[in-house]
Amino acid sequence: MELKELKILLQLPESDTSNDAYLEMKLGEAIDWVVRVCGQSFLVNDNLMLPRVAKGVVAQYIAFELQGNHGIKSESIAGMSQTFDSINERESALISKLSQARLRKVRFTPHKRGYDYGPY
């Protein structure tokens, strides 16, 4: 995902370069977060190939960061509205989107077989 695509998703004018350094930094941070949450790299032939849903999540993550207020807020991106009460709420909502799109790899932990009933 490139800065140009992020600006389109955030509905920012491409000609406004005043925040480009900040957006580039946040873009890397948001992509790292999505990759970590999904448990996969999205690399195809050494190129990052994020699915559309993941790109939308990256944009929403950054939109929240741009807000500067990490309390209650509302946002609208490309006709879609979201309200987050906190960073935890934001992350839960974004993780839910990634899960619904089946982008998260499920990690199973083996259960201990047998039971320890202790002394009688």
Side-chain angles (χ1 to χ4, degrees), residues 29-31 42-44 46-47 57 68 70 72 78 90 99 108:
E29 178 184 311
I31 290 171
F42 299 108
L43 288 178
V44 177
D46 292 330
N47 293 316
V57 167
H70 297 286
I72 298 173
R90 179 234 9 216
S99 296
F108 293 102

Side-chain angles (χ1 to χ4, degrees), residues 64-116:
F64 184 80
E65 295 292 318
L66 287 173
Q67 195 68 26
N69 177 3
H70 297 286
I72 298 173
K73 77 165 201 76
S74 180
E75 69 180 358
S76 179
I77 297 177
M80 193 170 54
S81 295
Q82 293 274 337
T83 301
F84 303 106
D85 295 329
S86 68
I87 290 175
N88 291 337
E89 294 247 345
R90 179 234 9 216
E91 289 185 358
S92 293
L94 297 179
I95 288 170
S96 176
K97 284 185 178 207
L98 294 169
S99 296
Q100 289 173 1
R102 300 179 191 262
L103 294 176
R104 293 187 71 211
K105 289 190 176 183
V106 179
R107 294 186 184 121
F108 293 102
T109 55
H111 292 284
K112 181 179 175 183
R113 292 187 177 242
Y115 298 94
D116 181 13

Side-chain angles (χ1 to χ4, degrees), residues 4 14 18-19 24 27 43 49-50 63 79 85 87 89 111:
K4 180 179 178 177
E14 189 178 346
S18 62
N19 291 320
E24 286 278 1
L27 180 59
L43 288 178
M49 302 296 287
L50 288 176
D85 295 329
I87 290 175
E89 294 247 345
H111 292 284

